[in-house]
Amino acid sequence: MTEALVSAPAAPAVFDAEKFRQTTRAQWENTAEAWNRWGPLLARWLGPSTEAMLDMAAVGPGSRVLDVAAGAGEQTLVAARRVGAHGHVLATDISPAILRHAQAAAAQAGLSNVDTLELDGERHDLVPGASFDAAISRVGLIYFPDQQRALAGIRHALKPGGRFAAVVYSTADRNPFFALPVGIIRRRAQLPPPLPGQPGPFSLGAEGVLAKTLEQAGFRDVEVRRVDSPVRLPSAAECVRFERESFGALHQMMAGLGEDERADTWREIEEALLRFETPAEGFVGPCEMLVGAGTR
């Protein structure tokens, strides 16, 4: 249907993982405030997959939880409430700006069992080994250049028998609220398709790929669930505003376009998304998430 989104503005002849990491960090530094401001939408949209992730990671009272690529921490707080006063959640992210929002949200909620740590998602080998009962990652694993290295670090951090669970997008055709804008931008900016194996939102979405990735990393008792996750907003225009403010990768993809062309591109995106808007329900953007989990 449409090509997968990657955080780099174009797919180079040879994928530069370090440049990708730097670009990803800069994007989240720039969009941290907006992502935090859209927190209520994220809670509604990703709430069902978040609950499934926590269930599949066996997060409960007293658990010590590692939240990888935690972002502004909406799911961090959900986990913190689950584990209670005798549990603990460590939220890590590559962006210090977005972690400040997570820490502030925890303080505002009166949750003293949350700490944050600026850390690349592939470097959890740096945390004490076998120190967490569970690990989670909501829409983070898909953006790691070396997913196996990231999973190795997460396994290192887990206690034997500890569970890891991740939320990822399924395929582009099941996520047109996101895939349609990507396809339009790629066409207008004349961007080549991403290279095979390159990180991006749909990199783990194909049938069997998420389970195979977890098993390859050494996880056992692997399971994957599909969660219908429609994006509900008053209008297609509001969805465009959400994506325009919060999805820094879309701006990176349009970096080579002039100001007028960018404005025309956003108008075309809104027109394309109007197919999901009705007078009765407003905008309902089709979206499907996968939740995969395994045991160390």
Side-chain angles (χ1 to χ4, degrees):
M1 177 178 169
T2 51
E3 299 90 348
L5 170 65
V6 295
S7 294
V14 177
F15 179 61
D16 187 334
E18 185 53 38
K19 183 177 180 180
F20 185 96
R21 292 185 187 94
Q22 293 173 2
T23 301
T24 299
R25 185 180 188 276
Q27 287 171 3
W28 285 112
E29 289 286 280
N30 291 335
T31 60
E33 185 279 329
W35 194 254
N36 180 66
R37 180 161 32 84
W38 284 95
L41 169 62
L42 298 176
R44 295 192 302 271
W45 166 33
L46 297 175
S49 59
T50 298
E51 293 296 334
M53 174 180 68
L54 296 174
D55 288 344
M56 293 166 71
V59 173
S63 295
R64 288 182 52 82
V65 180
L66 175 65
D67 187 358
V68 178
E74 188 273 325
Q75 76 291 331
T76 307
L77 272 57
V78 178
R81 294 186 180 100
R82 275 205 184 199
V83 304
H86 297 293
H88 180 258
V89 181
L90 176 64
T92 69
D93 200 279
I94 198 172
S95 164
I98 209 164
L99 283 177
R100 287 194 288 272
H101 289 292
Q103 192 67 67
Q108 186 174 6
L111 295 168
S112 59
N113 58 348
V114 174
D115 285 317
T116 61
L117 175 67
E118 179 188 345
L119 190 64
D120 187 302
E122 297 177 13
R123 296 311 314 270
H124 286 85
D125 56 310
L126 298 177
V127 305
S131 55
F132 293 92
D133 302 295
I136 58 174
S137 184
R138 190 176 79 176
V139 199
L141 182 62
I142 48 179
Y143 291 113
F144 298 155
D146 190 337
Q147 293 169 349
Q148 286 300 315
R149 183 184 185 191
L151 290 169
I154 292 167
R155 284 190 77 252
H156 160 83
L158 282 171
K159 297 176 182 178
R163 293 278 288 175
F164 168 63
V167 177
V168 307
Y169 293 100
S170 67
T171 50
D173 62 300
R174 292 179 178 270
N175 291 277
F177 90 99
F178 197 1
L180 279 173
V182 168
I184 290 168
I185 294 170
R186 281 199 176 279
R187 171 171 50 77
R188 282 182 168 265
Q190 299 182 359
L191 299 178
L195 297 172
Q198 198 165 335
F202 311 121
S203 59
L204 293 173
E207 185 67 34
V209 172
L210 178 56
K212 182 179 179 181
T213 299
L214 293 174
E215 290 166 352
Q216 184 180 344
F219 288 96
R220 53 189 174 83
D221 303 323
V222 170
E223 59 176 319
V224 177
R225 299 180 191 173
R226 295 182 181 273
V227 181
D228 188 36
S229 306
V231 181
R232 299 182 184 274
L233 284 162
S235 65
E238 190 72 354
C239 183
V240 170
R241 187 166 77 89
F242 168 51
E243 294 183 352
R244 191 168 185 169
E245 291 181 0
S246 305
F247 291 15
L250 298 181
H251 289 280
Q252 287 292 325
M253 294 175 71
M254 286 193 275
L257 299 179
E259 184 176 348
D260 290 344
E261 182 67 12
R262 288 197 297 270
D264 284 342
T265 300
W266 286 115
R267 279 192 287 271
E268 183 178 348
I269 288 171
E270 184 175 339
E271 290 173 3
L273 293 180
L274 278 171
R275 72 187 67 177
F276 305 120
E277 180 183 323
T278 64
E281 295 190 87
F283 178 83
V284 183
C287 172
E288 181 183 76
M289 311 304 288
L290 302 179
V291 187
T295 303
R296 181 190 186 281

mmCIF file with all atom_site columns, all heavy atoms in Angstrom, residues 37 50 72 85 90 107 114 134 147 149-150 195 207 212 221 223 231-232 234 240 255 275 277:
data_model
loop_
_atom_site.group_PDB
_atom_site.id
_atom_site.type_symbol
_atom_site.label_atom_id
_atom_site.label_alt_id
_atom_site.label_comp_id
_atom_site.label_asym_id
_atom_site.label_entity_id
_atom_site.label_seq_id
_atom_site.pdbx_PDB_ins_code
_atom_site.Cartn_x
_atom_site.Cartn_y
_atom_site.Cartn_z
_atom_site.occupancy
_atom_site.B_iso_or_equiv
_atom_site.pdbx_formal_charge
_atom_site.auth_seq_id
_atom_site.auth_comp_id
_atom_site.auth_asym_id
_atom_site.auth_atom_id
_atom_site.pdbx_PDB_model_num
ATOM 1   N N   . ARG A 1 37  ? 1.975   16.800  25.458 1.00 0.00 ? 37  ARG A N   1
ATOM 2   C CA  . ARG A 1 37  ? 0.688   17.506  25.424 1.00 0.00 ? 37  ARG A CA  1
ATOM 3   C C   . ARG A 1 37  ? -0.428  16.635  24.857 1.00 0.00 ? 37  ARG A C   1
ATOM 4   O O   . ARG A 1 37  ? -1.584  16.769  25.248 1.00 0.00 ? 37  ARG A O   1
ATOM 5   C CB  . ARG A 1 37  ? 0.857   18.797  24.603 1.00 0.00 ? 37  ARG A CB  1
ATOM 6   C CG  . ARG A 1 37  ? -0.376  19.636  24.470 1.00 0.00 ? 37  ARG A CG  1
ATOM 7   C CD  . ARG A 1 37  ? -0.057  21.073  24.067 1.00 0.00 ? 37  ARG A CD  1
ATOM 8   N NE  . ARG A 1 37  ? 1.101   21.192  23.221 1.00 0.00 ? 37  ARG A NE  1
ATOM 9   C CZ  . ARG A 1 37  ? 1.096   21.042  21.884 1.00 0.00 ? 37  ARG A CZ  1
ATOM 10  N NH1 . ARG A 1 37  ? -0.037  20.720  21.264 1.00 0.00 ? 37  ARG A NH1 1
ATOM 11  N NH2 . ARG A 1 37  ? 2.202   21.204  21.181 1.00 0.00 ? 37  ARG A NH2 1
ATOM 12  N N   . THR A 1 50  ? -1.508  -1.117  25.847 1.00 0.00 ? 50  THR A N   1
ATOM 13  C CA  . THR A 1 50  ? -0.692  -0.944  27.049 1.00 0.00 ? 50  THR A CA  1
ATOM 14  C C   . THR A 1 50  ? -1.087  -1.947  28.121 1.00 0.00 ? 50  THR A C   1
ATOM 15  O O   . THR A 1 50  ? -0.228  -2.591  28.747 1.00 0.00 ? 50  THR A O   1
ATOM 16  C CB  . THR A 1 50  ? -0.830  0.486   27.595 1.00 0.00 ? 50  THR A CB  1
ATOM 17  O OG1 . THR A 1 50  ? -0.352  1.414   26.613 1.00 0.00 ? 50  THR A OG1 1
ATOM 18  C CG2 . THR A 1 50  ? -0.032  0.664   28.880 1.00 0.00 ? 50  THR A CG2 1
ATOM 19  N N   . ALA A 1 72  ? 7.273   10.202  27.052 1.00 0.00 ? 72  ALA A N   1
ATOM 20  C CA  . ALA A 1 72  ? 6.763   11.097  28.096 1.00 0.00 ? 72  ALA A CA  1
ATOM 21  C C   . ALA A 1 72  ? 6.165   10.343  29.273 1.00 0.00 ? 72  ALA A C   1
ATOM 22  O O   . ALA A 1 72  ? 5.700   10.964  30.231 1.00 0.00 ? 72  ALA A O   1
ATOM 23  C CB  . ALA A 1 72  ? 5.728   12.047  27.498 1.00 0.00 ? 72  ALA A CB  1
ATOM 24  N N   . ALA A 1 85  ? 3.373   0.774   45.928 1.00 0.00 ? 85  ALA A N   1
ATOM 25  C CA  . ALA A 1 85  ? 4.430   1.402   46.725 1.00 0.00 ? 85  ALA A CA  1
ATOM 26  C C   . ALA A 1 85  ? 5.636   0.498   46.919 1.00 0.00 ? 85  ALA A C   1
ATOM 27  O O   . ALA A 1 85  ? 6.753   0.978   47.135 1.00 0.00 ? 85  ALA A O   1
ATOM 28  C CB  . ALA A 1 85  ? 3.863   1.821   48.077 1.00 0.00 ? 85  ALA A CB  1
ATOM 29  N N   . LEU A 1 90  ? 11.735  1.949   36.332 1.00 0.00 ? 90  LEU A N   1
ATOM 30  C CA  . LEU A 1 90  ? 12.813  2.764   35.771 1.00 0.00 ? 90  LEU A CA  1
ATOM 31  C C   . LEU A 1 90  ? 12.485  3.031   34.316 1.00 0.00 ? 90  LEU A C   1
ATOM 32  O O   . LEU A 1 90  ? 12.413  2.103   33.502 1.00 0.00 ? 90  LEU A O   1
ATOM 33  C CB  . LEU A 1 90  ? 14.160  2.052   35.883 1.00 0.00 ? 90  LEU A CB  1
ATOM 34  C CG  . LEU A 1 90  ? 15.344  2.798   35.234 1.00 0.00 ? 90  LEU A CG  1
ATOM 35  C CD1 . LEU A 1 90  ? 15.607  4.130   35.932 1.00 0.00 ? 90  LEU A CD1 1
ATOM 36  C CD2 . LEU A 1 90  ? 16.605  1.920   35.233 1.00 0.00 ? 90  LEU A CD2 1
ATOM 37  N N   . ALA A 1 107 ? 5.759   12.927  39.338 1.00 0.00 ? 107 ALA A N   1
ATOM 38  C CA  . ALA A 1 107 ? 5.695   13.764  40.543 1.00 0.00 ? 107 ALA A CA  1
ATOM 39  C C   . ALA A 1 107 ? 4.304   14.360  40.723 1.00 0.00 ? 107 ALA A C   1
ATOM 40  O O   . ALA A 1 107 ? 3.761   14.383  41.839 1.00 0.00 ? 107 ALA A O   1
ATOM 41  C CB  . ALA A 1 107 ? 6.740   14.872  40.454 1.00 0.00 ? 107 ALA A CB  1
ATOM 42  N N   . VAL A 1 114 ? 8.959   5.952   40.688 1.00 0.00 ? 114 VAL A N   1
ATOM 43  C CA  . VAL A 1 114 ? 9.415   6.087   39.308 1.00 0.00 ? 114 VAL A CA  1
ATOM 44  C C   . VAL A 1 114 ? 10.737  6.849   39.263 1.00 0.00 ? 114 VAL A C   1
ATOM 45  O O   . VAL A 1 114 ? 10.868  7.906   39.894 1.00 0.00 ? 114 VAL A O   1
ATOM 46  C CB  . VAL A 1 114 ? 8.379   6.841   38.443 1.00 0.00 ? 114 VAL A CB  1
ATOM 47  C CG1 . VAL A 1 114 ? 8.932   7.105   37.042 1.00 0.00 ? 114 VAL A CG1 1
ATOM 48  C CG2 . VAL A 1 114 ? 7.079   6.053   38.358 1.00 0.00 ? 114 VAL A CG2 1
ATOM 49  N N   . ALA A 1 134 ? 10.377  -7.461  35.205 1.00 0.00 ? 134 ALA A N   1
ATOM 50  C CA  . ALA A 1 134 ? 9.691   -7.296  33.929 1.00 0.00 ? 134 ALA A CA  1
ATOM 51  C C   . ALA A 1 134 ? 10.299  -6.131  33.170 1.00 0.00 ? 134 ALA A C   1
ATOM 52  O O   . ALA A 1 134 ? 10.863  -5.200  33.769 1.00 0.00 ? 134 ALA A O   1
ATOM 53  C CB  . ALA A 1 134 ? 8.197   -7.055  34.136 1.00 0.00 ? 134 ALA A CB  1
ATOM 54  N N   . GLN A 1 147 ? 18.082  -4.241  16.648 1.00 0.00 ? 147 GLN A N   1
ATOM 55  C CA  . GLN A 1 147 ? 17.071  -4.761  17.566 1.00 0.00 ? 147 GLN A CA  1
ATOM 56  C C   . GLN A 1 147 ? 17.598  -5.925  18.396 1.00 0.00 ? 147 GLN A C   1
ATOM 57  O O   . GLN A 1 147 ? 17.243  -6.058  19.572 1.00 0.00 ? 147 GLN A O   1
ATOM 58  C CB  . GLN A 1 147 ? 15.830  -5.166  16.777 1.00 0.00 ? 147 GLN A CB  1
ATOM 59  C CG  . GLN A 1 147 ? 15.110  -3.979  16.148 1.00 0.00 ? 147 GLN A CG  1
ATOM 60  C CD  . GLN A 1 147 ? 14.046  -4.376  15.143 1.00 0.00 ? 147 GLN A CD  1
ATOM 61  O OE1 . GLN A 1 147 ? 13.953  -5.529  14.751 1.00 0.00 ? 147 GLN A OE1 1
ATOM 62  N NE2 . GLN A 1 147 ? 13.267  -3.401  14.695 1.00 0.00 ? 147 GLN A NE2 1
ATOM 63  N N   . ARG A 1 149 ? 20.674  -6.339  19.448 1.00 0.00 ? 149 ARG A N   1
ATOM 64  C CA  . ARG A 1 149 ? 21.514  -5.783  20.517 1.00 0.00 ? 149 ARG A CA  1
ATOM 65  C C   . ARG A 1 149 ? 20.637  -5.210  21.630 1.00 0.00 ? 149 ARG A C   1
ATOM 66  O O   . ARG A 1 149 ? 20.932  -5.385  22.814 1.00 0.00 ? 149 ARG A O   1
ATOM 67  C CB  . ARG A 1 149 ? 22.424  -4.691  19.953 1.00 0.00 ? 149 ARG A CB  1
ATOM 68  C CG  . ARG A 1 149 ? 23.391  -4.113  20.975 1.00 0.00 ? 149 ARG A CG  1
ATOM 69  C CD  . ARG A 1 149 ? 24.204  -2.977  20.382 1.00 0.00 ? 149 ARG A CD  1
ATOM 70  N NE  . ARG A 1 149 ? 25.211  -2.497  21.316 1.00 0.00 ? 149 ARG A NE  1
ATOM 71  C CZ  . ARG A 1 149 ? 25.908  -1.386  21.150 1.00 0.00 ? 149 ARG A CZ  1
ATOM 72  N NH1 . ARG A 1 149 ? 25.720  -0.651  20.052 1.00 0.00 ? 149 ARG A NH1 1
ATOM 73  N NH2 . ARG A 1 149 ? 26.791  -1.009  22.040 1.00 0.00 ? 149 ARG A NH2 1
ATOM 74  N N   . ALA A 1 150 ? 19.563  -4.531  21.245 1.00 0.00 ? 150 ALA A N   1
ATOM 75  C CA  . ALA A 1 150 ? 18.640  -3.978  22.236 1.00 0.00 ? 150 ALA A CA  1
ATOM 76  C C   . ALA A 1 150 ? 18.031  -5.091  23.083 1.00 0.00 ? 150 ALA A C   1
ATOM 77  O O   . ALA A 1 150 ? 17.961  -4.986  24.317 1.00 0.00 ? 150 ALA A O   1
ATOM 78  C CB  . ALA A 1 150 ? 17.544  -3.182  21.538 1.00 0.00 ? 150 ALA A CB  1
ATOM 79  N N   . LEU A 1 195 ? 15.650  0.622   3.137  1.00 0.00 ? 195 LEU A N   1
ATOM 80  C CA  . LEU A 1 195 ? 16.404  -0.594  2.852  1.00 0.00 ? 195 LEU A CA  1
ATOM 81  C C   . LEU A 1 195 ? 15.842  -1.759  3.658  1.00 0.00 ? 195 LEU A C   1
ATOM 82  O O   . LEU A 1 195 ? 15.278  -1.558  4.737  1.00 0.00 ? 195 LEU A O   1
ATOM 83  C CB  . LEU A 1 195 ? 17.876  -0.380  3.219  1.00 0.00 ? 195 LEU A CB  1
ATOM 84  C CG  . LEU A 1 195 ? 18.620  0.705   2.438  1.00 0.00 ? 195 LEU A CG  1
ATOM 85  C CD1 . LEU A 1 195 ? 19.988  0.932   3.051  1.00 0.00 ? 195 LEU A CD1 1
ATOM 86  C CD2 . LEU A 1 195 ? 18.738  0.317   0.971  1.00 0.00 ? 195 LEU A CD2 1
ATOM 87  N N   . GLU A 1 207 ? 3.672   -10.961 9.332  1.00 0.00 ? 207 GLU A N   1
ATOM 88  C CA  . GLU A 1 207 ? 3.294   -12.197 10.006 1.00 0.00 ? 207 GLU A CA  1
ATOM 89  C C   . GLU A 1 207 ? 4.527   -12.965 10.478 1.00 0.00 ? 207 GLU A C   1
ATOM 90  O O   . GLU A 1 207 ? 5.419   -13.293 9.696  1.00 0.00 ? 207 GLU A O   1
ATOM 91  C CB  . GLU A 1 207 ? 2.465   -13.078 9.062  1.00 0.00 ? 207 GLU A CB  1
ATOM 92  C CG  . GLU A 1 207 ? 1.917   -14.333 9.702  1.00 0.00 ? 207 GLU A CG  1
ATOM 93  C CD  . GLU A 1 207 ? 0.870   -14.040 10.755 1.00 0.00 ? 207 GLU A CD  1
ATOM 94  O OE1 . GLU A 1 207 ? 0.117   -13.045 10.585 1.00 0.00 ? 207 GLU A OE1 1
ATOM 95  O OE2 . GLU A 1 207 ? 0.805   -14.799 11.744 1.00 0.00 ? 207 GLU A OE2 1
ATOM 96  N N   . LYS A 1 212 ? 9.582   -14.265 15.798 1.00 0.00 ? 212 LYS A N   1
ATOM 97  C CA  . LYS A 1 212 ? 10.898  -14.751 15.402 1.00 0.00 ? 212 LYS A CA  1
ATOM 98  C C   . LYS A 1 212 ? 12.005  -13.885 15.978 1.00 0.00 ? 212 LYS A C   1
ATOM 99  O O   . LYS A 1 212 ? 13.055  -14.392 16.410 1.00 0.00 ? 212 LYS A O   1
ATOM 100 C CB  . LYS A 1 212 ? 11.000  -14.784 13.874 1.00 0.00 ? 212 LYS A CB  1
ATOM 101 C CG  . LYS A 1 212 ? 12.322  -15.327 13.348 1.00 0.00 ? 212 LYS A CG  1
ATOM 102 C CD  . LYS A 1 212 ? 12.339  -15.365 11.826 1.00 0.00 ? 212 LYS A CD  1
ATOM 103 C CE  . LYS A 1 212 ? 13.667  -15.882 11.292 1.00 0.00 ? 212 LYS A CE  1
ATOM 104 N NZ  . LYS A 1 212 ? 13.686  -15.891 9.805  1.00 0.00 ? 212 LYS A NZ  1
ATOM 105 N N   . ASP A 1 221 ? 8.799   -19.129 25.492 1.00 0.00 ? 221 ASP A N   1
ATOM 106 C CA  . ASP A 1 221 ? 7.360   -18.959 25.768 1.00 0.00 ? 221 ASP A CA  1
ATOM 107 C C   . ASP A 1 221 ? 6.836   -17.695 25.085 1.00 0.00 ? 221 ASP A C   1
ATOM 108 O O   . ASP A 1 221 ? 6.078   -16.910 25.672 1.00 0.00 ? 221 ASP A O   1
ATOM 109 C CB  . ASP A 1 221 ? 7.078   -18.883 27.277 1.00 0.00 ? 221 ASP A CB  1
ATOM 110 C CG  . ASP A 1 221 ? 7.598   -20.101 28.025 1.00 0.00 ? 221 ASP A CG  1
ATOM 111 O OD1 . ASP A 1 221 ? 7.517   -21.204 27.465 1.00 0.00 ? 221 ASP A OD1 1
ATOM 112 O OD2 . ASP A 1 221 ? 8.097   -19.936 29.157 1.00 0.00 ? 221 ASP A OD2 1
ATOM 113 N N   . GLU A 1 223 ? 4.707   -15.235 22.824 1.00 0.00 ? 223 GLU A N   1
ATOM 114 C CA  . GLU A 1 223 ? 3.338   -15.107 22.335 1.00 0.00 ? 223 GLU A CA  1
ATOM 115 C C   . GLU A 1 223 ? 3.148   -13.727 21.733 1.00 0.00 ? 223 GLU A C   1
ATOM 116 O O   . GLU A 1 223 ? 3.811   -12.766 22.132 1.00 0.00 ? 223 GLU A O   1
ATOM 117 C CB  . GLU A 1 223 ? 2.313   -15.329 23.455 1.00 0.00 ? 223 GLU A CB  1
ATOM 118 C CG  . GLU A 1 223 ? 2.441   -14.371 24.623 1.00 0.00 ? 223 GLU A CG  1
ATOM 119 C CD  . GLU A 1 223 ? 1.344   -14.556 25.659 1.00 0.00 ? 223 GLU A CD  1
ATOM 120 O OE1 . GLU A 1 223 ? 0.181   -14.756 25.239 1.00 0.00 ? 223 GLU A OE1 1
ATOM 121 O OE2 . GLU A 1 223 ? 1.654   -14.490 26.866 1.00 0.00 ? 223 GLU A OE2 1
ATOM 122 N N   . VAL A 1 231 ? -7.533  5.202   15.944 1.00 0.00 ? 231 VAL A N   1
ATOM 123 C CA  . VAL A 1 231 ? -7.226  6.558   16.417 1.00 0.00 ? 231 VAL A CA  1
ATOM 124 C C   . VAL A 1 231 ? -8.499  7.386   16.263 1.00 0.00 ? 231 VAL A C   1
ATOM 125 O O   . VAL A 1 231 ? -8.953  7.642   15.141 1.00 0.00 ? 231 VAL A O   1
ATOM 126 C CB  . VAL A 1 231 ? -6.081  7.183   15.601 1.00 0.00 ? 231 VAL A CB  1
ATOM 127 C CG1 . VAL A 1 231 ? -5.754  8.577   16.117 1.00 0.00 ? 231 VAL A CG1 1
ATOM 128 C CG2 . VAL A 1 231 ? -4.853  6.280   15.644 1.00 0.00 ? 231 VAL A CG2 1
ATOM 129 N N   . ARG A 1 232 ? -9.085  7.809   17.374 1.00 0.00 ? 232 ARG A N   1
ATOM 130 C CA  . ARG A 1 232 ? -10.363 8.521   17.350 1.00 0.00 ? 232 ARG A CA  1
ATOM 131 C C   . ARG A 1 232 ? -10.140 9.998   17.708 1.00 0.00 ? 232 ARG A C   1
ATOM 132 O O   . ARG A 1 232 ? -9.624  10.314  18.783 1.00 0.00 ? 232 ARG A O   1
ATOM 133 C CB  . ARG A 1 232 ? -11.349 7.891   18.338 1.00 0.00 ? 232 ARG A CB  1
ATOM 134 C CG  . ARG A 1 232 ? -11.663 6.442   18.014 1.00 0.00 ? 232 ARG A CG  1
ATOM 135 C CD  . ARG A 1 232 ? -12.683 5.851   18.989 1.00 0.00 ? 232 ARG A CD  1
ATOM 136 N NE  . ARG A 1 232 ? -12.919 4.435   18.727 1.00 0.00 ? 232 ARG A NE  1
ATOM 137 C CZ  . ARG A 1 232 ? -13.797 3.979   17.848 1.00 0.00 ? 232 ARG A CZ  1
ATOM 138 N NH1 . ARG A 1 232 ? -14.551 4.840   17.160 1.00 0.00 ? 232 ARG A NH1 1
ATOM 139 N NH2 . ARG A 1 232 ? -13.947 2.673   17.657 1.00 0.00 ? 232 ARG A NH2 1
ATOM 140 N N   . PRO A 1 234 ? -11.873 14.251  16.678 1.00 0.00 ? 234 PRO A N   1
ATOM 141 C CA  . PRO A 1 234 ? -13.057 14.923  16.135 1.00 0.00 ? 234 PRO A CA  1
ATOM 142 C C   . PRO A 1 234 ? -13.078 15.023  14.608 1.00 0.00 ? 234 PRO A C   1
ATOM 143 O O   . PRO A 1 234 ? -14.149 15.035  14.003 1.00 0.00 ? 234 PRO A O   1
ATOM 144 C CB  . PRO A 1 234 ? -13.001 16.312  16.775 1.00 0.00 ? 234 PRO A CB  1
ATOM 145 C CG  . PRO A 1 234 ? -12.220 16.117  18.033 1.00 0.00 ? 234 PRO A CG  1
ATOM 146 C CD  . PRO A 1 234 ? -11.199 15.078  17.694 1.00 0.00 ? 234 PRO A CD  1
ATOM 147 N N   . VAL A 1 240 ? -4.315  15.328  11.487 1.00 0.00 ? 240 VAL A N   1
ATOM 148 C CA  . VAL A 1 240 ? -3.169  15.952  10.831 1.00 0.00 ? 240 VAL A CA  1
ATOM 149 C C   . VAL A 1 240 ? -2.417  16.842  11.819 1.00 0.00 ? 240 VAL A C   1
ATOM 150 O O   . VAL A 1 240 ? -1.177  16.850  11.841 1.00 0.00 ? 240 VAL A O   1
ATOM 151 C CB  . VAL A 1 240 ? -3.622  16.762  9.595  1.00 0.00 ? 240 VAL A CB  1
ATOM 152 C CG1 . VAL A 1 240 ? -2.471  17.603  9.046  1.00 0.00 ? 240 VAL A CG1 1
ATOM 153 C CG2 . VAL A 1 240 ? -4.141  15.820  8.514  1.00 0.00 ? 240 VAL A CG2 1
ATOM 154 N N   . ALA A 1 255 ? 12.201  17.435  4.692  1.00 0.00 ? 255 ALA A N   1
ATOM 155 C CA  . ALA A 1 255 ? 13.256  18.441  4.860  1.00 0.00 ? 255 ALA A CA  1
ATOM 156 C C   . ALA A 1 255 ? 13.700  19.063  3.544  1.00 0.00 ? 255 ALA A C   1
ATOM 157 O O   . ALA A 1 255 ? 14.102  20.233  3.502  1.00 0.00 ? 255 ALA A O   1
ATOM 158 C CB  . ALA A 1 255 ? 14.458  17.817  5.570  1.00 0.00 ? 255 ALA A CB  1
ATOM 159 N N   . ARG A 1 275 ? -11.269 10.249  4.237  1.00 0.00 ? 275 ARG A N   1
ATOM 160 C CA  . ARG A 1 275 ? -12.055 9.035   3.998  1.00 0.00 ? 275 ARG A CA  1
ATOM 161 C C   . ARG A 1 275 ? -12.410 8.328   5.298  1.00 0.00 ? 275 ARG A C   1
ATOM 162 O O   . ARG A 1 275 ? -13.313 7.495   5.325  1.00 0.00 ? 275 ARG A O   1
ATOM 163 C CB  . ARG A 1 275 ? -11.281 8.089   3.088  1.00 0.00 ? 275 ARG A CB  1
ATOM 164 C CG  . ARG A 1 275 ? -10.069 7.406   3.728  1.00 0.00 ? 275 ARG A CG  1
ATOM 165 C CD  . ARG A 1 275 ? -9.233  6.606   2.739  1.00 0.00 ? 275 ARG A CD  1
ATOM 166 N NE  . ARG A 1 275 ? -8.583  7.477   1.774  1.00 0.00 ? 275 ARG A NE  1
ATOM 167 C CZ  . ARG A 1 275 ? -7.746  7.047   0.842  1.00 0.00 ? 275 ARG A CZ  1
ATOM 168 N NH1 . ARG A 1 275 ? -7.498  5.756   0.727  1.00 0.00 ? 275 ARG A NH1 1
ATOM 169 N NH2 . ARG A 1 275 ? -7.181  7.890   -0.005 1.00 0.00 ? 275 ARG A NH2 1
ATOM 170 N N   . GLU A 1 277 ? -13.352 9.979   8.052  1.00 0.00 ? 277 GLU A N   1
ATOM 171 C CA  . GLU A 1 277 ? -14.166 10.901  8.860  1.00 0.00 ? 277 GLU A CA  1
ATOM 172 C C   . GLU A 1 277 ? -15.630 10.782  8.449  1.00 0.00 ? 277 GLU A C   1
ATOM 173 O O   . GLU A 1 277 ? -15.951 10.760  7.253  1.00 0.00 ? 277 GLU A O   1
ATOM 174 C CB  . GLU A 1 277 ? -13.680 12.338  8.661  1.00 0.00 ? 277 GLU A CB  1
ATOM 175 C CG  . GLU A 1 277 ? -14.461 13.368  9.459  1.00 0.00 ? 277 GLU A CG  1
ATOM 176 C CD  . GLU A 1 277 ? -13.994 14.792  9.191  1.00 0.00 ? 277 GLU A CD  1
ATOM 177 O OE1 . GLU A 1 277 ? -12.764 14.999  9.011  1.00 0.00 ? 277 GLU A OE1 1
ATOM 178 O OE2 . GLU A 1 277 ? -14.865 15.692  9.151  1.00 0.00 ? 277 GLU A OE2 1
#
